[in-house]
Amino acid sequence: MIKTPVVVRQERGLDGRPIALLVQEASQYTSKVYIEVGEKKINAKSIMGMMSLNLIEGTEIMVLTEGEDEAKAAEGIKAFFNGAK
């Protein structure tokens, strides 16, 4: 399992379209991908779960990836939050 700390950089936070893009990104990987915020741990492949997090700019999150392509998944999700995608 890889734990990657990330800060949300999207100016308007994550709402409908950005969350859909994040779920799309996470779904590309065979590994399990979770976003952890405080006490909440949400499957990043679940659009409803991700919408429940209400992520705003500056929020510190932990990306948890586990599986055969966990390193690639961790980098992809981190790049997404850093605005590279």
Side-chain angles (χ1 to χ4, degrees), residues 36-74:
E36 197 171 67
V37 181
E39 299 296 314
K40 287 186 174 181
K41 180 179 173 184
I42 302 293
N43 181 346
K45 298 178 184 182
S46 165
I47 196 158
M48 294 307 286
M50 290 305 302
M51 290 184 90
S52 75
L53 288 178
N54 193 29
L55 297 175
I56 59 173
E57 183 180 21
T59 302
E60 295 181 13
I61 64 171
M62 186 69 68
V63 176
L64 308 169
T65 56
E66 183 176 12
E68 62 186 54
D69 59 352
E70 62 188 24
K72 188 175 177 184

Side-chain angles (χ1 to χ4, degrees), residues 4 11 16-17 19-20 22 31-33 39-40 45 48 50 56 58 61 70 78-79 83:
T4 308
E11 278 183 27
R17 180 160 168 68
I19 286 177
L22 173 59
S31 293
K32 294 177 184 175
V33 181
E39 299 296 314
K40 287 186 174 181
K45 298 178 184 182
M48 294 307 286
M50 290 305 302
I56 59 173
I61 64 171
E70 62 188 24
K78 183 178 178 182

Side-chain angles (χ1 to χ4, degrees), residues 1 10 21 27 49 57 66 68 70 72 77 80-81:
M1 177 182 285
Q10 286 73 7
L21 294 173
S27 295
E57 183 180 21
E66 183 176 12
E68 62 186 54
E70 62 188 24
K72 188 175 177 184
I77 300 298
F80 175 87
F81 279 107

